[in-house]
Amino acid sequence: MKKIIFVLLIVVGIIVLFPLSSVFTQSSEINILLDQKPLETVVSSIIEDGRIFIPARNIVEALGGRITWFPALKLLNIYIDNHTVSLVIDDPSLDIDGEIVSLEMPVRIIDNRVMIPLEVIKIIAQVETKWDNQTKTLSINTIRPYLLKIRSYSHPDKTRIVIDLSEKTEFKANLLTNPDRIFIDIIGSIVKLEDALKQIEINDGVVKTVRTAQYNPEIVRVVFDLYQEFKYDFFSLTDPDRIVIDVFRPEEKEKAISEALPTKSEEKPTIEPEMTKKRVVIIDPGHGGSDPGAIGPTGLKEKEVVLDIALYLEKLLRGAGISTYLTRDKDEFIYLEDRVNFANQKNGFIFVSLHTNSVLNHRPSAGGIETFVLSSKYIGASAKDVADRENRASRAHPELDTDLAKIIADLEESANIQYSLNFADVVQKKLVKYLKLDDRGVKQAPFVVLKGVNMVAVIVEVAFISNPKEEKLLRDSGFRKNAAQALFEAIKYYIENTPNEI
Ligand SMILES: [Zn+2]
């Protein structure tokens, strides 16, 4: 009997602890097609309270954006098409580039996943949606890329027409006769093209008019009406993305073809790395200009050493197709805050600030490698000395105010700090392996340059410039190359092994 009562108590306990309402909440799974293809998601998209919710990271990344998630702040930052969008769990508003938009439904955490309502997708991306109630399928179709502008230039030997696009896209050109015309079919949309640009009168003896129309939902057709059948050439350029069409005057043909490769640097084709916009690495050589950083016993300057390592590292990363930006590529002074802003503007995925260590007092024998991660507190021996030194080029310096300490404390539990610690670990191990100096470990301290960067961020103290032996090593280009190689391998490893899960 006792046993039965005990079992009953457990059952009652379970019912009390797990209210049945959560089991019966109106929520049903749905399918999502993004541009006609099923959207792959870690959990299903659902309808709840009559609204569609989609796993945030899956849909944002499928649309070409990027997400950073701060669990401690319940904050979701989305970077998409040069917009920065902030959302807070259960808060029915959205901040897009500083403008507040109210929402019918807030972002929610459902089954441990951050789920965003469809209305957010419609605000942050150029999409059209269609709901099929029978198959419970939502079709999301991107209406990018689109034509931004059409420009024309009449030269003595040719007429050049430039079609500016929102992004790179496929196209093909064709010549038709009777009447003579060229048309270009571009996968894209004209929604953003001003009406005045949909038909342009040129009338320069080569091209009469340029007409643009949406040929079908996918294709824009641009037609060039010609005076007669002329030779033409076309190519695409990037940054900004555009298609260039040259129509040549016949008597100038020979000469024109020899000039077909444009001489203006503005119109030179550029080569794009494979991984553009994805997982950008920001290298931050510390100090520079009027701020030499630490100076070794024989006069070697930190700012010179770290710039050199940074340039080697940049070369290695670019060689591997990883998008890379330097906060400085020459000997100039840059405020820490400006380094932070630059890194965020470039949508960095990883931020590596390069330094050499030093001791002010009487321990010239101190040596080795340290990697730092942001924290509100100083964790690890000498962390405070290092942070004080590296924070000097801040506008807010010297003291970290209490607000800053609070923000840092809030962020401490965030994914970025955790990811940064993981990354720091890889960096520290690789450096120790390559440089064979003392392993002083991964430490934490409140660094201004790490505070504002919205990405995985570390400060690397490669070696002690104050130590005569290590100063000698830091002078050696082989040692600098080894440091760059170690950092390169750490970054590559981290990029290849970081999951996309929120
Ligand atoms: Zn430094």
Side-chain angles (χ1 to χ4, degrees):
M1 186 63 185
K2 250 188 191 165
K3 209 172 184 181
I4 290 171
I5 290 172
F6 184 58
V7 169
L8 260 176
L9 274 175
I10 287 179
V11 170
V12 169
I14 287 171
I15 290 170
V16 170
L17 284 174
F18 300 94
L20 292 173
S21 62
S22 67
V23 180
F24 295 120
T25 301
Q26 273 293 341
S27 132
S28 58
E29 296 187 0
I30 61 158
N31 306 307
I32 303 234
L33 293 177
L34 177 61
D35 291 329
Q36 280 91 53
K37 284 185 212 121
L39 176 71
E40 287 186 27
T41 53
V42 283
V43 292
S44 294
S45 301
I46 56 165
I47 296 186
E48 206 167 84
D49 299 334
R51 294 289 191 286
I52 292 171
F53 286 86
I54 310 168
R57 185 179 292 277
N58 296 125
I59 183 69
V60 168
E61 290 189 345
L63 288 166
R66 199 169 67 82
I67 269 189
T68 316
W69 165 235
F70 302 93
L73 302 177
K74 299 191 171 176
L75 169 69
L76 195 65
N77 280 347
I78 297 173
Y79 309 93
I80 189 164
D81 290 341
N82 293 323
H83 296 299
T84 302
V85 181
S86 295
L87 291 148
V88 176
I89 301 296
D90 295 331
D91 175 359
S93 70
L94 165 157
D95 178 327
I96 179 159
D97 303 325
E99 260 182 70
I100 307 294
V101 180
S102 49
L103 301 171
E104 287 178 33
M105 280 284 166
V107 179
R108 287 183 180 175
I109 293 180
I110 302 170
D111 284 341
N112 241 340
R113 290 283 164 182
V114 178
M115 306 282 276
I116 47 178
L118 177 60
E119 59 173 316
V120 170
I121 300 301
K122 288 184 179 171
I123 295 168
I124 66 173
Q126 291 275 329
V127 294
E128 288 164 336
T129 58
K130 214 171 70 195
W131 171 246
D132 184 338
N133 203 31
Q134 271 194 327
T135 57
K136 301 284 174 220
T137 300
L138 175 75
S139 300
I140 302 176
N141 293 308
T142 54
I143 50 178
R144 299 168 303 166
Y146 41 83
L147 272 64
L148 291 167
K149 215 197 268 173
I150 297 180
R151 302 175 272 146
S152 75
Y153 306 92
S154 297
H155 298 290
D157 57 333
K158 70 188 175 204
T159 302
R160 167 164 289 188
I161 290 130
V162 181
I163 302 168
D164 292 308
L165 302 163
S166 65
E167 65 190 80
K168 201 171 177 169
T169 183
E170 282 175 46
F171 65 95
K172 61 176 203 291
N174 247 307
L175 183 69
L176 295 174
T177 49
N178 201 20
D180 295 302
R181 62 201 188 277
I182 298 166
F183 72 82
I184 291 201
D185 281 345
I186 304 164
I187 310 257
S189 140
I190 55 165
V191 285
K192 295 281 175 101
L193 193 66
E194 278 175 47
D195 283 346
L197 295 171
K198 286 177 186 162
Q199 172 139 359
I200 305 171
E201 303 291 330
I202 296 179
N203 300 320
D204 65 353
V206 179
V207 179
K208 291 179 191 168
T209 48
V210 178
R211 297 175 283 126
T212 307
Q214 193 75 47
Y215 182 67
N216 66 33
E218 278 86 48
I219 292 173
V220 177
R221 177 165 286 184
V222 185
V223 182
F224 305 76
D225 296 308
L226 308 179
Y227 282 83
Q228 61 182 81
E229 191 182 328
F230 292 126
K231 295 268 182 211
Y232 70 99
D233 189 14
F234 60 94
F235 48 92
S236 63
L237 298 172
T238 55
D239 201 19
D241 293 303
R242 57 210 191 277
I243 300 169
V244 180
I245 302 95
D246 286 336
V247 186
F248 300 105
R249 251 177 231 277
E251 61 271 23
E252 304 274 348
K253 201 175 76 180
E254 298 286 309
K255 190 172 157 258
I257 287 169
S258 73
E259 283 178 0
L261 270 181
T263 47
K264 271 200 296 177
S265 69
E266 200 262 321
E267 300 293 18
K268 260 183 202 156
T270 52
I271 301 152
E272 268 188 314
E274 281 284 302
M275 295 174 71
T276 318
K277 289 178 193 165
K278 279 174 79 185
R279 311 219 146 166
V280 172
V281 176
I282 312 291
I283 310 170
D284 173 45
H287 313 281
S290 59
D291 169 17
I295 298 174
T298 70
L300 182 65
K301 292 184 183 116
E302 176 180 3
K303 65 173 185 179
E304 290 164 13
V305 176
V306 293
L307 178 58
D308 205 30
I309 295 173
L311 292 169
Y312 286 134
L313 177 57
E314 180 196 31
K315 217 173 181 180
L316 291 169
L317 289 167
R318 292 236 166 119
I322 297 171
S323 283
T324 308
Y325 294 97
L326 266 63
T327 54
R328 67 175 178 99
D329 57 8
K330 52 181 179 290
D331 185 18
E332 62 180 331
F333 178 81
I334 300 168
Y335 279 108
L336 296 180
E337 289 82 354
D338 294 336
R339 297 170 193 252
V340 169
N341 290 341
F342 174 83
N344 288 337
Q345 269 165 21
K346 295 291 179 200
N347 274 349
F349 176 68
I350 292 178
F351 181 88
V352 181
S353 190
L354 294 176
H355 295 263
T356 64
N357 224 329
S358 83
V359 279
L360 302 168
N361 42 30
H362 326 285
R363 291 187 300 120
S365 61
I369 303 156
E370 287 176 340
T371 305
F372 280 88
V373 172
L374 181 69
S375 157
S376 60
K377 299 180 234 29
Y378 302 96
I379 301 170
S382 73
K384 184 163 190 324
D385 292 347
V386 176
D388 284 350
R389 197 177 62 246
E390 308 299 11
N391 281 338
R392 237 171 263 157
S394 157
R395 290 197 177 97
H397 191 76
E399 297 311 320
L400 291 166
D401 54 65
T402 45
D403 276 353
L404 175 56
K406 234 164 99 185
I407 293 166
I408 294 170
D410 274 344
L411 289 175
E412 235 170 328
E413 292 165 40
S414 81
N416 273 348
I417 301 274
Q418 193 48 53
Y419 287 152
S420 297
L421 282 168
N422 296 343
F423 176 56
D425 218 44
V426 183
V427 167
Q428 180 71 13
K429 284 201 178 86
K430 286 279 182 195
L431 283 169
V432 169
K433 184 182 149 200
Y434 270 88
L435 303 181
K436 298 183 174 63
L437 296 177
D438 274 1
D439 181 359
R440 299 171 65 99
V442 171
K443 297 178 179 178
Q444 290 187 264
F447 288 99
V448 170
V449 76
L450 296 183
K451 180 209 61 160
V453 290
N454 202 350
M455 62 201 76
V456 166
V458 297
I459 284 187
V460 175
E461 300 279 348
V462 177
F464 276 70
I465 203 167
S466 54
N467 175 318
K469 273 188 208 152
E470 295 191 3
E471 185 198 25
K472 202 175 162 204
L473 289 173
L474 286 166
R475 220 180 252 290
D476 177 54
S477 69
F479 182 87
R480 294 175 184 181
K481 279 181 183 159
N482 270 340
Q485 183 67 31
L487 292 166
F488 166 67
E489 287 184 17
I491 292 166
K492 195 160 168 287
Y493 175 88
Y494 184 76
I495 286 177
E496 286 168 357
N497 289 283
T498 303
N500 281 330
E501 305 272 310
I502 287 181

